[in-house]
Amino acid sequence: MTDGHLYLLDNLNTRPQLGWQIDPFGGSTTMAAFFAEMGFQAYVNDRIDYRVELSRAEHHDMEFVWRQPSPFFQANNELDLMTHTLDVLYMSPAGAIFEDTDVGKADKPLTPENIEARSLEVATQIKERAKLYTTNHVLIPFGGDFFFHNASAEFDNMDLMIEYINSKPWGMKLHYATLSEYFEALHAANKTYSVFKQDYLPYVWPAPDCVWTGFYTSRPALKGFTRRTEELIRSADTLYVNALARSWSADLLPMFAEAYDNIVTGRKAVAIMQHHDAVTGTAAEHTVAAYNVMLQNATTAGQQALVLLSQTLLNSTGQVPALTANFSEIADALPAGKTIAVVLHNSLAQSRDEYVRLLVPTQTVAVADANGTSIVSQLIPAAPDADGWFLYFRVSVPALGFSTYFLSSASSSDQLGAAVVSKSSPDVSIENEFYAISFSDKTNLMEAILLKNSSESLPFTQQYYEYMSDLGSAYIFRARGAASPIVGNLKSVVSVGPLVQEIQQVISPELRLRVRLFAGGEYIEFENYVGVLKEDTNLITRFSTGLASSGGQFFTDNNGLVMMERVYDRAVPVENSYYPAATNAYLGDASHVMNIITNQPHGVTSPFNGAMELMLHRRLPTRGFPPLGLPESLNDTTPVSDTFRMTLSALADGPRLRHAQSLTVNNPLQPVFGVSASASDWAKSFATTFSPLASELPANVHLLSLKARSAPDADEPSKVIFRLQHLYEMDEDAVFSQAATVNVSSVFAAYGFGVPQETVLTMNLPAANVSRWHWNTQQGASRFAAPPSQDATSIEASAREKARLAASQRFADTSDFSVTLHALQIRSFLVDVGASLR
């Protein structure tokens, strides 16, 4: 959205003020709030649950004010969004389609003989539509999918129809209009509207068992590839700004231009994947193949940007290192006696202390830190029947910086500093400082988790199940009865060492699981390998706990921003109670909570109290419903390796663990690699650490964006998009939900920021210039119509709004750049970077 809005501003001097999102498969409250943050006045949507649409139509409530359900957003009505829901699909009325398209045949051209009947047909539809809305202004879509290839036929015939209808005493006047004209007329009518605080998920069609919850998981390999590309480009963006701030010179302009072009290639690919038939997995096979090629090209471009920018930042003596972003290209240097430098970039504004895994070709390897000091490392076989070893070692990387670690060949596994080769254990259990996981001697399935902090043992099982489907599709999940457990000759291999304890389980040749605990890690890691599924199968992993969650209640994230309460409805088939989890989900009781943190989207539900299941993969070669849109089945045989984390803790610790793990999982360290004769030789020539921040950001504040606004310029400082996000909801945590203040001038002193300008979310309008329309609401007036009542939440909202308005005007110089963030707040700024270097 940001790149598109800035393109329109730069090339057409236009700022969109209205949203048109008429073909998503449902709708989220967070997107409505984001549109409001962009300065939008109103928004048009479509594709909502047909039962809800019928109810809204019956009550003349097809236009309403959409409000976030979070307590903060309910009080903070500045993010209310006027929403118009189309009563039919986004197509021209029947009788007014004047060309053949991929979705239907044209109506006959208008003639003197048929214009009366055809115009009356359309006018009748308009009158029926008018009954559903509150004013005498009626919005009629003109066009649709694949329309206007023959624009002359469309407009010539529509001109005739408009003229004819306007000449008749039918009580209506038609004219061509933009959305702006429609909403201006709606606003001038000064009506009062209801307030809606939920989302439109799942999307249900008016057909038997036609619930659009399959696409939450469809084509998981494509979903994962999209997320990995997004993570890579985010790292390249932050690294680019780091290089601008530290190393800008006119001589480096070609390098910066090349790196920026590569980053833009990645940004465009990630943006295209947000199409409603892209990351959703609902495209045709040949289109999916094209998406994969595009993402691979974007990955190559992003990696090249990482290499170019890393070479600049590592250059401390005038020498440029040879680097690659692919470890496999230089892994054979280890058995050849060379040293491999591993440079790890951190795109977060908090320091990192975590584990890195690399696939190495030898089990005689040693690891050293940036000072050349040996550190503990551990090897685990990559697979029971495969060559290679997973090398694990613990790293510390400064906020927005990098650290270097060195791999070298050891003469033997007994050499001092050599990686510890994991030992097999007859005990079917693993543990660390926080958890002890026990497995059944009879079934090899997990049976309990001991929380060491409280010495509480909770029943816990993990097992794979499959829902069989008939007439399912990439869009639709349609279960044929209850899920069946996958029962096989389960084999387990336990590996233990100083850093990692892991159990590998082979359920079948096409299904494997690795469960890991890391020394000092407050999470359990699950790595699922899924090969080719049986036909007409939806594969899930189900966690059954001793938690006393009640009423089928669980929570999933809403676009990664807030957690939405969900309820499993036992009165209808399971597909009706599946919801998307883009980054995390949780369930709990009065004392404990289980968080699931994912690194790509999944469909999630809670089929009974204390249980949560994630859908991992789908294969449906029998083509199902709907017949339109995707003219083929979902015969997806792509293998998938999917890793997610789980935390099980006291209730009070749940939010802290969820946010911390989500940040880490979805913003991984990005490596580049080089080869040297030794660690000391490398360190003589190149920087081994980089720590650009004076201090790291608070744990409840996320550096959401640090990216160049445009290509580098030899004469002007580069403008940078700088966004900060408060991670916590109101009252989510006693400490971290409190407002946080960041002295940007101090923390980012090394970046040479110029005077900041606060903007809307997509950077195309100064925040001080935002002027959104007032809408009257039935459930408490929005802030534009009357001040909120002064209860606790409205006082918080008022403080947030005052801070936003004041901050957008008060930055007089670079020394006074201090930002206060309240719960869930995102604040966006345009700043010059590296001005002092020019």
Side-chain angles (χ1 to χ4, degrees):
M1 290 292 284
T2 297
D3 287 348
H5 282 194
L6 291 177
Y7 178 89
L8 293 174
L9 179 64
D10 293 344
N11 293 278
L12 300 175
N13 195 29
T14 297
R15 294 182 175 91
Q17 297 189 64
L18 299 165
W20 176 262
Q21 191 183 35
I22 43 70
D23 206 13
F25 314 139
S28 77
T29 56
T30 298
M31 279 310 302
F34 283 163
F35 288 145
E37 288 270 28
M38 296 172 195
F40 281 13
Q41 305 286 10
Y43 156 74
V44 177
N45 73 357
D46 195 15
R47 291 197 184 275
I48 66 175
D49 187 325
Y50 79 97
R51 297 162 297 186
V52 177
E53 183 175 330
L54 289 174
S55 176
R56 283 197 172 278
E58 180 182 354
H59 294 91
H60 311 284
D61 195 25
M62 298 290 281
E63 289 170 329
F64 55 89
V65 170
W66 208 341
R67 185 178 296 169
Q68 264 279 2
S70 166
F72 172 71
F73 281 101
Q74 290 183 29
N76 180 30
N77 298 344
E78 65 171 290
L79 298 186
D80 283 356
L81 187 69
M82 165 52 63
T83 303
H84 173 102
T85 299
L86 297 175
D87 67 307
V88 293
L89 280 180
Y90 47 89
M91 301 289 184
S92 297
I97 298 174
F98 303 109
E99 62 178 315
D100 290 338
T101 71
D102 291 357
V103 295
K105 291 291 186 180
D107 297 307
K108 292 181 179 179
L110 294 180
T111 65
E113 292 75 25
N114 68 18
I115 192 168
E116 169 88 17
R118 292 276 293 284
S119 297
L120 186 59
E121 178 185 4
V122 170
T124 301
Q125 294 174 68
I126 293 172
K127 287 183 177 181
E128 290 300 312
R129 183 170 297 181
K131 296 176 183 179
L132 309 180
Y133 299 90
T134 57
T135 74
N136 62 344
H137 304 289
V138 184
L139 176 63
I140 308 297
F142 175 37
D145 290 344
F146 315 110
F147 277 55
F148 298 105
H149 287 290
N150 188 355
S152 295
E154 290 283 357
F155 282 100
D156 289 348
N157 283 275
M158 184 56 76
D159 288 346
L160 292 173
M161 181 172 285
I162 289 175
E163 182 180 3
Y164 190 87
I165 290 176
N166 289 345
S167 71
K168 294 295 181 178
W170 293 347
M172 66 182 67
K173 293 294 182 182
L174 271 63
H175 66 93
Y176 294 113
T178 63
L179 283 183
S180 295
E181 290 177 80
Y182 174 75
F183 281 110
E184 286 167 3
L186 195 70
H187 180 250
N190 199 31
K191 298 290 186 177
T192 298
Y193 298 93
S194 65
V195 173
F196 183 57
K197 299 178 182 178
Q198 298 300 316
D199 58 16
Y200 281 126
L201 296 170
Y203 173 45
V204 183
W205 257 25
D209 301 322
C210 191
V211 186
W212 293 48
T213 52
F215 77 90
Y216 302 158
T217 304
S218 295
R219 298 201 182 276
L222 185 66
K223 286 176 166 62
F225 200 177
T226 302
R227 185 70 63 86
R228 302 293 82 74
T229 307
E230 181 181 14
E231 295 162 353
L232 171 65
I233 299 306
R234 171 186 157 80
S235 289
D237 270 320
T238 57
L239 197 60
Y240 182 92
V241 177
N242 279 341
L244 276 178
R246 186 185 185 195
S247 305
W248 168 263
S249 73
D251 293 341
L252 290 177
L253 181 61
M255 184 282 297
F256 279 109
E258 182 181 353
Y260 185 80
D261 286 345
N262 282 323
I263 289 170
V264 168
T265 296
R267 289 182 189 173
K268 288 180 178 179
V270 172
I272 289 171
M273 291 308 299
Q274 305 318 302
H275 185 273
H276 63 263
D277 279 322
V279 71
T280 52
T282 55
E285 190 72 43
H286 69 276
T287 307
V288 171
Y291 285 149
N292 278 310
V293 170
M294 178 186 70
L295 288 171
Q296 185 56 60
N297 291 338
T299 298
T300 300
Q303 290 175 337
Q304 181 60 22
L306 281 184
V307 166
L308 289 169
L309 297 164
S310 297
Q311 288 172 330
T312 300
L313 289 170
L314 289 169
N315 183 352
S316 60
T317 62
Q319 299 185 59
V320 177
L323 298 174
T324 178
N326 294 307
F327 184 73
S328 60
E329 293 180 2
I330 47 87
D332 288 340
L334 277 176
K338 298 288 187 178
T339 293
I340 296 177
V342 183
V343 183
L344 299 163
H345 294 280
N346 177 14
S347 66
L348 296 179
Q350 288 86 12
S351 59
R352 312 271 286 265
D353 187 1
E354 59 191 69
Y355 290 88
V356 168
R357 183 177 83 172
L358 295 171
L359 180 62
V360 297
T362 175
Q363 58 176 306
T364 52
V365 60
V367 183
D369 64 15
N371 298 317
T373 304
S374 294
I375 62 172
V376 177
S377 56
Q378 181 181 339
L379 289 160
I380 294 180
D385 56 351
D387 296 331
W389 296 75
F390 285 135
L391 173 69
Y392 291 91
F393 54 100
R394 193 167 187 167
V395 301
S396 294
V397 187
L400 277 184
F402 67 73
S403 293
T404 306
Y405 289 80
F406 298 99
L407 312 184
S408 59
S409 177
S411 57
S412 71
S413 59
D414 296 326
Q415 176 185 316
L416 183 65
V420 177
V421 179
S422 302
K423 297 180 180 180
S424 61
S425 171
D427 296 329
V428 188
S429 64
I430 55 177
E431 64 180 314
N432 68 1
E433 297 90 331
F434 297 96
Y435 303 103
I437 306 175
S438 57
F439 295 76
S440 168
D441 293 335
K442 296 180 180 179
T443 65
N444 279 335
L445 296 174
M446 297 175 68
E447 62 181 6
I449 296 178
L450 173 67
L451 306 183
K452 291 190 173 182
N453 284 343
S454 59
S455 300
E456 298 173 275
S457 182
L458 301 177
F460 190 97
T461 63
Q462 178 278 333
Q463 190 169 3
Y464 295 104
Y465 288 75
E466 56 190 9
Y467 289 103
M468 304 308 293
S469 279
D470 51 6
L471 299 181
S473 71
Y475 307 97
I476 307 301
F477 170 35
R478 182 181 290 181
R480 190 195 309 152
S484 301
I486 296 177
V487 180
N489 184 19
L490 188 63
K491 299 178 181 179
S492 297
V493 177
V494 180
S495 301
V496 298
L499 301 181
V500 188
Q501 295 197 11
E502 176 186 272
I503 182 166
Q504 299 181 51
Q505 297 187 330
V506 178
I507 295 88
S508 74
E510 303 296 335
L511 186 58
R512 300 195 295 270
L513 171 68
R514 304 170 84 113
V515 183
R516 281 186 285 269
L517 289 174
F518 293 90
E522 291 187 84
Y523 59 90
I524 305 167
E525 189 166 272
F526 294 83
E527 182 178 359
N528 308 275
Y529 170 80
V530 183
V532 179
L533 297 180
K534 294 188 302 184
E535 294 187 356
D536 300 321
T537 297
N538 304 272
L539 177 70
I540 66 166
T541 180
R542 180 181 291 173
F543 300 99
S544 303
T545 76
L547 301 184
S549 62
S550 61
Q553 182 193 62
F554 63 106
F555 294 79
T556 66
D557 72 277
N558 207 249
N559 295 93
L561 183 68
V562 299
M563 301 303 292
M564 291 283 289
E565 180 182 350
R566 311 298 190 183
V567 175
Y568 186 92
D569 187 351
R570 289 171 174 77
V572 293
V574 61
E575 53 264 29
N576 291 268
S577 297
Y578 256 75
Y579 293 89
T583 58
N584 51 79
Y586 76 86
L587 61 78
D589 58 19
S591 56
H592 296 90
V593 62
M594 176 181 70
N595 292 309
I596 303 292
I597 299 97
T598 70
N599 66 359
Q600 66 182 68
H602 292 273
V604 178
T605 194
S606 175
F608 51 86
N609 292 346
M612 182 173 286
E613 64 187 41
L614 285 75
M615 190 173 289
L616 300 178
H617 208 337
R618 314 180 69 225
R619 184 188 178 199
L620 305 166
T622 303
R623 185 184 172 200
F625 200 84
L628 297 176
L630 182 61
E632 61 185 47
S633 63
L634 181 68
N635 191 23
D636 185 5
T637 58
T638 310
V640 174
S641 184
D642 180 17
T643 301
F644 53 84
R645 293 180 180 179
M646 188 202 77
T647 69
L648 188 61
S649 68
L651 187 63
D653 292 327
R656 173 185 63 83
L657 292 171
R658 182 171 64 254
H659 287 294
Q661 294 303 322
S662 186
L663 272 186
T664 300
V665 166
N666 290 290
N667 298 278
L669 298 169
Q670 294 289 345
V672 292
F673 308 94
V675 178
S676 179
S678 66
S680 59
D681 282 356
W682 182 276
K684 289 176 184 176
S685 302
F686 311 116
T688 57
T689 60
F690 176 56
S691 183
L693 299 187
S695 61
E696 59 186 80
L697 294 188
N700 56 352
V701 175
H702 175 41
L703 179 62
L704 185 61
S705 304
L706 184 67
K707 55 190 287 189
R709 185 291 198 197
S710 55
D713 189 292
D715 301 315
E716 297 291 334
S718 294
K719 289 202 176 295
V720 165
I721 295 169
F722 180 83
R723 295 190 185 100
L724 294 176
Q725 174 191 0
H726 195 298
L727 293 169
Y728 285 73
E729 300 181 50
M730 284 183 65
D731 302 323
E732 186 179 11
D733 184 273
V735 175
F736 294 123
S737 291
Q738 301 300 313
T741 298
V742 178
N743 188 327
V744 179
S745 301
S746 174
V747 173
F748 291 83
Y751 289 75
F753 283 165
V755 177
Q757 179 186 63
E758 186 162 9
T759 72
V760 297
L761 189 62
T762 47
M763 319 306 295
N764 64 343
L765 181 68
N769 295 351
V770 173
S771 178
R772 298 181 64 231
W773 291 332
H774 305 184
W775 300 98
N776 302 319
T777 60
Q778 297 169 3
Q779 302 176 30
S782 74
R783 77 172 181 91
F784 304 107
S789 60
Q790 291 298 296
D791 57 21
T793 54
S794 65
I795 290 172
E796 168 77 2
S798 178
R800 177 190 189 275
E801 173 62 358
K802 288 177 181 177
R804 184 187 70 82
L805 292 175
S808 66
Q809 300 167 9
R810 73 179 180 84
F811 298 120
D813 57 56
T814 58
S815 64
D816 196 24
F817 189 6
S818 185
V819 177
T820 296
L821 295 152
H822 296 266
L824 289 180
Q825 189 175 15
I826 298 172
R827 293 182 65 179
S828 307
F829 301 88
L830 274 176
V831 294
D832 293 340
V833 68
S836 61
L837 299 176
R838 295 170 183 266

